[in-house]
Amino acid sequence: MLNEFKAFISKGNVLDLAVGIIIGAAFTAIVTSLVDDLVNPLIGMIVGGIDFSSWGFSIGEAKFAIGSFVNAVIKFLIVAWVVFLLVKFINKLMPKKEAPATAPAGPSEAELLAQILAELKKK
């Protein structure tokens, strides 16, 4: 079992995934700052100084932070957009795979059956 685990963990895909998660966590801090420090104030200026982070309401002891949800949606859209652009950029850099050459067309099924029938008649 230990050998199987070692083989699994040493595969390139697992290491790539780990690096991706670490980079994603670091990227989250950048996106959080972008949304909190640049996007929200800009949107606030456009809609008249509204601060999303203060949006919310309470029912009894429960507090519903709608502004935090709006911030999370904005962060998600920014991350999704950046990932989309990154994938699009990477796809442009990657060489196009050529379609495999088609095999030369052989005789059709009917022609093969006719050849077999002709061989059988010869015997």
Side-chain angles (χ1 to χ4, degrees):
M1 184 185 262
L2 185 59
N3 287 335
E4 286 181 68
F5 178 72
K6 215 165 42 172
F8 169 76
I9 205 72
S10 66
K11 286 184 181 176
N13 293 344
V14 174
L15 296 175
D16 292 344
L17 180 61
V19 169
I21 290 171
I22 292 167
I23 295 296
F27 185 67
T28 299
I30 294 171
V31 171
T32 299
S33 175
L34 175 69
V35 170
D36 293 343
D37 301 331
L38 299 174
V39 174
N40 283 346
L42 181 64
I43 293 173
M45 282 181 5
I46 293 171
V47 295
I50 297 174
D51 179 20
F52 290 127
S53 61
S54 64
W55 284 7
F57 62 93
S58 296
I59 299 177
E61 295 288 320
K63 181 174 184 332
F64 296 88
I66 295 173
S68 295
F69 176 73
V70 170
N71 285 343
V73 169
I74 292 170
K75 288 175 191 174
F76 169 77
L77 292 174
I78 290 171
V79 170
W81 179 252
V82 170
V83 169
F84 168 75
L85 292 177
L86 183 64
V87 168
K88 193 170 178 157
F89 176 73
I90 296 293
N91 284 341
K92 283 185 179 181
L93 291 180
M94 300 299 286
K96 301 261 185 208
K97 292 184 180 177
E98 294 181 20
T102 56
S108 69
E109 187 177 324
E111 292 170 337
L112 288 174
L113 289 174
Q115 289 175 359
I116 292 171
L117 183 60
E119 290 294 322
L120 288 174
K121 284 183 179 179
K122 286 182 186 176
K123 294 181 179 182

Coordinates of all heavy atoms in Angstrom, one line a residue, residues 16-85:
D16 N 1.1 18.8 -10.1 CA 0.6 20.0 -10.8 C -0.7 20.5 -10.1 O -0.9 21.7 -10.0 CB 0.2 19.6 -12.3 CG 1.4 19.3 -13.1 OD1 2.5 19.7 -12.7 OD2 1.3 18.7 -14.2
L17 N -1.5 19.6 -9.6 CA -2.7 20.0 -8.9 C -2.4 20.7 -7.6 O -3.0 21.7 -7.3 CB -3.6 18.8 -8.6 CG -4.9 19.0 -7.9 CD1 -5.8 19.9 -8.7 CD2 -5.6 17.7 -7.6
A18 N -1.4 20.2 -6.9 CA -0.9 20.9 -5.7 C -0.4 22.3 -5.9 O -0.8 23.2 -5.2 CB 0.1 20.0 -5.0
V19 N 0.4 22.4 -7.0 CA 0.9 23.7 -7.3 C -0.3 24.7 -7.7 O -0.3 25.8 -7.3 CB 1.9 23.6 -8.5 CG1 2.3 25.0 -9.0 CG2 3.2 23.0 -8.0
G20 N -1.2 24.1 -8.5 CA -2.4 24.9 -8.9 C -3.2 25.4 -7.7 O -3.7 26.6 -7.6
I21 N -3.4 24.6 -6.7 CA -4.1 25.0 -5.5 C -3.4 26.0 -4.7 O -4.0 27.0 -4.3 CB -4.4 23.7 -4.6 CG1 -5.4 22.8 -5.3 CG2 -4.9 24.1 -3.2 CD1 -5.6 21.5 -4.6
I22 N -2.1 25.9 -4.6 CA -1.3 26.9 -3.9 C -1.3 28.3 -4.6 O -1.5 29.3 -4.0 CB 0.2 26.4 -3.7 CG1 0.2 25.2 -2.7 CG2 1.1 27.6 -3.2 CD1 1.5 24.5 -2.7
I23 N -1.2 28.2 -5.9 CA -1.2 29.5 -6.7 C -2.6 30.1 -6.6 O -2.8 31.3 -6.5 CB -0.8 29.2 -8.2 CG1 0.6 28.8 -8.3 CG2 -1.1 30.4 -9.1 CD1 1.6 29.8 -7.9
G24 N -3.6 29.2 -6.6 CA -5.0 29.7 -6.5 C -5.3 30.4 -5.2 O -6.0 31.4 -5.2
A25 N -4.7 29.8 -4.1 CA -4.9 30.5 -2.8 C -4.2 31.8 -2.8 O -4.8 32.8 -2.3 CB -4.3 29.6 -1.7
A26 N -3.0 31.9 -3.4 CA -2.4 33.2 -3.4 C -3.1 34.2 -4.3 O -3.2 35.4 -4.0 CB -0.9 33.0 -3.9
F27 N -3.7 33.7 -5.4 CA -4.4 34.5 -6.3 C -5.7 35.0 -5.7 O -6.1 36.2 -6.0 CB -4.8 33.7 -7.6 CG -5.4 34.5 -8.7 CD1 -4.7 35.5 -9.3 CD2 -6.7 34.3 -9.0 CE1 -5.3 36.3 -10.3 CE2 -7.3 35.0 -10.0 CZ -6.6 36.0 -10.7
T28 N -6.3 34.3 -4.8 CA -7.5 34.7 -4.1 C -7.2 36.0 -3.3 O -8.1 36.8 -3.2 CB -8.0 33.6 -3.1 OG1 -8.3 32.4 -3.9 CG2 -9.2 34.0 -2.3
A29 N -6.0 36.1 -2.6 CA -5.7 37.3 -1.9 C -5.7 38.5 -2.8 O -6.1 39.6 -2.4 CB -4.4 37.1 -1.2
I30 N -5.1 38.3 -4.0 CA -5.1 39.4 -5.0 C -6.5 39.8 -5.4 O -6.8 41.0 -5.5 CB -4.2 39.0 -6.2 CG1 -2.8 38.8 -5.8 CG2 -4.3 40.1 -7.3 CD1 -1.9 38.2 -6.8
V31 N -7.3 38.8 -5.7 CA -8.7 39.1 -6.1 C -9.5 39.8 -5.0 O -10.3 40.7 -5.2 CB -9.4 37.8 -6.6 CG1 -10.9 38.1 -6.9 CG2 -8.7 37.3 -7.9
T32 N -9.3 39.3 -3.8 CA -10.0 39.9 -2.6 C -9.6 41.4 -2.5 O -10.5 42.3 -2.3 CB -9.6 39.2 -1.3 OG1 -10.1 37.8 -1.5 CG2 -10.3 39.8 -0.1
S33 N -8.4 41.7 -2.6 CA -7.9 43.1 -2.6 C -8.5 43.9 -3.7 O -8.9 45.0 -3.6 CB -6.4 43.2 -2.6 OG -6.0 44.5 -2.6
L34 N -8.5 43.3 -4.9 CA -9.0 44.0 -6.1 C -10.5 44.3 -5.9 O -10.9 45.5 -6.1 CB -8.8 43.1 -7.3 CG -9.5 43.6 -8.6 CD1 -8.7 44.8 -9.1 CD2 -9.4 42.5 -9.7
V35 N -11.3 43.4 -5.4 CA -12.7 43.6 -5.2 C -12.9 44.6 -4.1 O -13.7 45.6 -4.2 CB -13.4 42.3 -5.0 CG1 -14.9 42.6 -4.5 CG2 -13.4 41.4 -6.2
D36 N -12.3 44.4 -2.9 CA -12.5 45.2 -1.8 C -12.0 46.6 -1.9 O -12.6 47.6 -1.5 CB -12.0 44.6 -0.5 CG -12.7 43.3 -0.1 OD1 -13.8 43.0 -0.6 OD2 -12.1 42.5 0.6
D37 N -10.8 46.8 -2.5 CA -10.1 48.0 -2.5 C -10.3 48.9 -3.8 O -10.1 50.1 -3.8 CB -8.6 47.8 -2.3 CG -8.3 47.2 -1.0 OD1 -9.2 47.3 -0.1 OD2 -7.3 46.5 -0.9
L38 N -10.7 48.2 -4.9 CA -10.9 48.9 -6.2 C -12.3 48.8 -6.8 O -12.9 49.8 -7.1 CB -9.9 48.4 -7.2 CG -8.4 48.6 -6.8 CD1 -7.5 47.9 -7.9 CD2 -8.0 50.0 -6.7
V39 N -12.8 47.6 -6.9 CA -14.1 47.4 -7.6 C -15.3 47.9 -6.8 O -16.1 48.7 -7.3 CB -14.3 45.9 -8.0 CG1 -15.7 45.7 -8.5 CG2 -13.2 45.5 -8.9
N40 N -15.3 47.5 -5.5 CA -16.4 48.0 -4.7 C -16.5 49.5 -4.5 O -17.6 50.1 -4.6 CB -16.4 47.3 -3.3 CG -16.9 45.9 -3.4 OD1 -17.5 45.5 -4.3 ND2 -16.7 45.2 -2.3
P41 N -15.4 50.2 -4.3 CA -15.5 51.7 -4.2 C -15.9 52.3 -5.6 O -16.6 53.2 -5.6 CB -14.0 52.1 -3.9 CG -13.4 50.9 -3.2 CD -14.0 49.7 -3.8
L42 N -15.5 51.7 -6.7 CA -15.9 52.2 -8.0 C -17.4 52.0 -8.2 O -18.1 52.9 -8.6 CB -15.1 51.5 -9.1 CG -15.4 51.9 -10.5 CD1 -15.0 53.3 -10.7 CD2 -14.6 51.0 -11.5
I43 N -17.9 50.8 -7.9 CA -19.3 50.6 -8.0 C -20.1 51.5 -7.0 O -21.1 52.0 -7.3 CB -19.6 49.1 -7.7 CG1 -19.1 48.2 -8.8 CG2 -21.1 48.9 -7.6 CD1 -19.2 46.7 -8.6
G44 N -19.5 51.7 -5.8 CA -20.1 52.6 -4.8 C -20.2 54.0 -5.4 O -21.2 54.7 -5.1
M45 N -19.2 54.5 -6.1 CA -19.2 55.8 -6.7 C -20.3 55.9 -7.7 O -21.0 56.9 -7.8 CB -17.9 56.2 -7.3 CG -16.8 56.6 -6.3 SD -15.2 57.0 -7.1 CE -15.4 57.0 -8.8
I46 N -20.4 54.8 -8.5 CA -21.4 54.9 -9.6 C -22.8 54.9 -9.1 O -23.7 55.6 -9.6 CB -21.2 53.7 -10.5 CG1 -19.9 53.8 -11.3 CG2 -22.3 53.5 -11.5 CD1 -19.4 52.6 -12.1
V47 N -23.1 54.1 -8.0 CA -24.5 54.0 -7.5 C -24.7 54.9 -6.3 O -25.6 54.7 -5.6 CB -24.8 52.5 -7.1 CG1 -24.8 51.6 -8.3 CG2 -23.9 52.0 -6.0
G48 N -23.8 55.8 -6.1 CA -24.1 56.8 -5.1 C -23.5 56.5 -3.7 O -24.1 56.8 -2.7
G49 N -22.3 56.0 -3.7 CA -21.6 55.8 -2.4 C -22.1 54.6 -1.6 O -21.9 54.5 -0.4
I50 N -22.8 53.7 -2.2 CA -23.3 52.5 -1.4 C -22.1 51.6 -1.2 O -21.4 51.2 -2.1 CB -24.4 51.8 -2.2 CG1 -25.6 52.7 -2.4 CG2 -24.8 50.5 -1.5 CD1 -26.7 52.1 -3.3
D51 N -22.0 51.1 0.1 CA -21.0 50.2 0.5 C -21.6 48.8 0.6 O -22.4 48.6 1.5 CB -20.3 50.6 1.8 CG -19.3 49.7 2.3 OD1 -18.7 48.9 1.4 OD2 -18.9 49.7 3.5
F52 N -21.2 47.9 -0.3 CA -21.9 46.6 -0.2 C -21.6 45.8 1.1 O -22.5 45.1 1.5 CB -21.3 45.7 -1.4 CG -21.8 46.1 -2.7 CD1 -20.9 46.3 -3.7 CD2 -23.1 46.3 -3.0 CE1 -21.3 46.7 -5.0 CE2 -23.5 46.7 -4.3 CZ -22.6 46.9 -5.3
S53 N -20.5 46.0 1.7 CA -20.1 45.2 2.9 C -21.1 45.5 4.0 O -21.2 44.7 4.9 CB -18.7 45.5 3.3 OG -18.5 46.8 3.6
S54 N -21.7 46.7 4.0 CA -22.7 47.0 5.1 C -24.1 46.5 4.8 O -24.9 46.7 5.7 CB -22.6 48.5 5.3 OG -23.2 49.2 4.2
W55 N -24.3 46.0 3.7 CA -25.7 45.5 3.4 C -26.0 44.3 4.2 O -25.2 43.4 4.3 CB -25.8 45.1 1.9 CG -25.9 46.3 0.9 CD1 -25.8 47.6 1.2 CD2 -26.2 46.2 -0.4 NE1 -26.0 48.3 0.1 CE2 -26.2 47.5 -0.9 CE3 -26.4 45.1 -1.3 CZ2 -26.4 47.8 -2.3 CZ3 -26.7 45.4 -2.6 CH2 -26.7 46.7 -3.1
G56 N -27.2 44.2 4.7 CA -27.6 43.1 5.5 C -28.8 43.4 6.3 O -29.3 44.5 6.4
F57 N -29.3 42.4 7.0 CA -30.4 42.5 7.9 C -30.4 41.5 8.9 O -29.7 40.5 8.8 CB -31.8 42.5 7.1 CG -32.1 41.2 6.4 CD1 -32.8 40.2 7.1 CD2 -31.6 41.0 5.1 CE1 -33.1 39.1 6.4 CE2 -31.9 39.9 4.5 CZ -32.6 38.9 5.1
S58 N -31.1 41.7 10.0 CA -31.1 40.7 11.1 C -32.6 40.3 11.4 O -33.5 41.0 11.3 CB -30.6 41.3 12.4 OG -29.2 41.7 12.2
I59 N -32.7 39.0 11.7 CA -33.9 38.5 12.2 C -33.6 37.8 13.5 O -32.9 36.7 13.5 CB -34.6 37.5 11.2 CG1 -34.9 38.2 9.9 CG2 -35.8 36.9 11.8 CD1 -35.4 37.3 8.8
G60 N -34.0 38.4 14.6 CA -33.6 37.9 15.9 C -32.1 37.9 16.1 O -31.5 39.0 15.9
E61 N -31.5 36.8 16.4 CA -30.1 36.7 16.6 C -29.3 36.5 15.3 O -28.1 36.7 15.2 CB -29.7 35.6 17.6 CG -30.2 35.8 19.0 CD -29.5 36.9 19.7 OE1 -28.2 36.9 19.6 OE2 -30.1 37.6 20.4
A62 N -30.0 36.1 14.2 CA -29.4 35.8 13.0 C -29.1 37.1 12.1 O -30.0 37.9 12.0 CB -30.2 34.8 12.2
K63 N -27.9 37.2 11.6 CA -27.6 38.3 10.8 C -27.3 37.8 9.4 O -26.5 36.9 9.2 CB -26.3 39.1 11.3 CG -25.9 40.3 10.5 CD -24.8 41.0 11.1 CE -24.4 42.3 10.4 NZ -24.5 42.5 9.1
F64 N -28.0 38.4 8.4 CA -27.8 38.0 7.0 C -27.0 39.1 6.3 O -27.5 40.2 6.1 CB -29.2 37.9 6.4 CG -30.0 36.8 6.9 CD1 -30.9 37.0 8.0 CD2 -30.0 35.5 6.4 CE1 -31.6 36.0 8.6 CE2 -30.7 34.5 7.0 CZ -31.6 34.7 8.1
A65 N -25.8 38.7 6.0 CA -24.8 39.7 5.4 C -24.9 39.6 3.8 O -24.1 38.9 3.2 CB -23.4 39.4 5.8
I66 N -25.9 40.3 3.3 CA -26.1 40.3 1.9 C -24.9 40.9 1.1 O -24.5 40.5 0.1 CB -27.4 41.0 1.5 CG1 -28.6 40.2 2.1 CG2 -27.5 41.2 0.0 CD1 -29.9 40.9 1.9
G67 N -24.3 41.9 1.7 CA -23.1 42.6 1.1 C -22.0 41.6 1.0 O -21.2 41.7 0.0
S68 N -21.7 40.8 2.0 CA -20.7 39.8 1.8 C -20.9 38.9 0.7 O -20.0 38.5 0.0 CB -20.5 39.0 3.1 OG -20.1 39.9 4.2
F69 N -22.2 38.5 0.5 CA -22.5 37.6 -0.6 C -22.3 38.3 -1.9 O -21.7 37.7 -2.9 CB -24.0 37.2 -0.5 CG -24.4 36.3 -1.6 CD1 -24.0 35.0 -1.8 CD2 -25.3 36.8 -2.6 CE1 -24.4 34.2 -2.8 CE2 -25.7 36.1 -3.7 CZ -25.2 34.8 -3.8
V70 N -22.7 39.6 -2.0 CA -22.4 40.3 -3.3 C -20.9 40.4 -3.5 O -20.5 40.2 -4.7 CB -23.1 41.7 -3.2 CG1 -22.6 42.6 -4.3 CG2 -24.6 41.6 -3.1
N71 N -20.1 40.7 -2.5 CA -18.7 40.7 -2.7 C -18.2 39.3 -3.2 O -17.3 39.3 -4.1 CB -18.0 41.0 -1.4 CG -18.1 42.5 -1.1 OD1 -18.4 43.3 -1.9 ND2 -17.8 42.8 0.2
A72 N -18.7 38.2 -2.6 CA -18.3 36.9 -3.0 C -18.6 36.6 -4.5 O -17.8 36.0 -5.2 CB -18.9 35.8 -2.1
V73 N -19.8 37.1 -4.9 CA -20.2 36.9 -6.3 C -19.3 37.7 -7.2 O -18.8 37.2 -8.3 CB -21.7 37.3 -6.5 CG1 -22.0 37.4 -8.0 CG2 -22.6 36.3 -5.8
I74 N -19.0 38.9 -6.9 CA -18.1 39.7 -7.7 C -16.7 39.1 -7.8 O -16.1 39.0 -8.8 CB -18.0 41.2 -7.1 CG1 -19.3 41.9 -7.3 CG2 -16.8 42.0 -7.8 CD1 -19.4 43.2 -6.5
K75 N -16.2 38.6 -6.6 CA -14.9 37.9 -6.6 C -14.9 36.7 -7.5 O -14.0 36.4 -8.3 CB -14.5 37.5 -5.2 CG -14.1 38.6 -4.3 CD -13.9 38.2 -2.9 CE -13.7 39.3 -2.0 NZ -13.6 38.9 -0.6
F76 N -16.0 35.9 -7.5 CA -16.1 34.7 -8.3 C -16.1 35.1 -9.8 O -15.4 34.4 -10.6 CB -17.4 33.9 -8.0 CG -17.7 32.9 -9.0 CD1 -17.0 31.7 -9.0 CD2 -18.7 33.1 -10.0 CE1 -17.3 30.7 -9.9 CE2 -18.9 32.1 -10.9 CZ -18.2 30.9 -10.9
L77 N -16.9 36.1 -10.1 CA -16.9 36.5 -11.6 C -15.5 37.0 -12.0 O -15.1 36.7 -13.2 CB -18.0 37.6 -11.8 CG -19.4 37.1 -11.6 CD1 -20.4 38.3 -11.6 CD2 -19.8 36.1 -12.6
I78 N -14.8 37.7 -11.2 CA -13.5 38.1 -11.6 C -12.5 37.0 -11.8 O -11.8 36.9 -12.8 CB -12.9 39.1 -10.6 CG1 -13.7 40.5 -10.6 CG2 -11.4 39.4 -10.8 CD1 -13.4 41.4 -9.5
V79 N -12.6 36.0 -10.8 CA -11.7 34.8 -10.9 C -12.1 34.0 -12.2 O -11.2 33.6 -12.9 CB -11.8 34.0 -9.7 CG1 -11.1 32.6 -9.9 CG2 -11.2 34.7 -8.5
A80 N -13.4 33.8 -12.4 CA -13.8 33.1 -13.6 C -13.4 33.8 -14.9 O -12.9 33.1 -15.8 CB -15.3 32.9 -13.6
W81 N -13.5 35.1 -14.9 CA -13.0 35.8 -16.1 C -11.5 35.7 -16.3 O -11.1 35.5 -17.5 CB -13.4 37.3 -16.0 CG -13.0 38.1 -17.1 CD1 -12.0 39.1 -17.2 CD2 -13.5 38.1 -18.5 NE1 -11.9 39.6 -18.4 CE2 -12.8 39.0 -19.2 CE3 -14.5 37.4 -19.1 CZ2 -13.1 39.3 -20.6 CZ3 -14.8 37.6 -20.4 CH2 -14.1 38.5 -21.1
V82 N -10.8 35.8 -15.3 CA -9.3 35.7 -15.4 C -8.9 34.3 -15.8 O -8.1 34.1 -16.7 CB -8.6 36.1 -14.1 CG1 -7.1 35.7 -14.1 CG2 -8.8 37.6 -13.8
V83 N -9.6 33.3 -15.3 CA -9.3 31.9 -15.7 C -9.6 31.7 -17.1 O -8.9 31.0 -17.9 CB -10.0 30.9 -14.7 CG1 -9.9 29.5 -15.3 CG2 -9.4 30.9 -13.3
F84 N -10.8 32.2 -17.6 CA -11.2 32.1 -19.0 C -10.1 32.7 -19.9 O -9.7 32.2 -20.9 CB -12.5 32.8 -19.1 CG -12.9 33.0 -20.6 CD1 -13.3 32.0 -21.4 CD2 -12.8 34.3 -21.1 CE1 -13.7 32.2 -22.7 CE2 -13.2 34.5 -22.5 CZ -13.6 33.4 -23.3
L85 N -9.7 34.0 -19.5 CA -8.6 34.6 -20.3 C -7.3 33.8 -20.3 O -6.7 33.7 -21.4 CB -8.4 36.0 -19.8 CG -9.6 37.0 -20.0 CD1 -9.2 38.4 -19.4 CD2 -9.9 37.2 -21.5

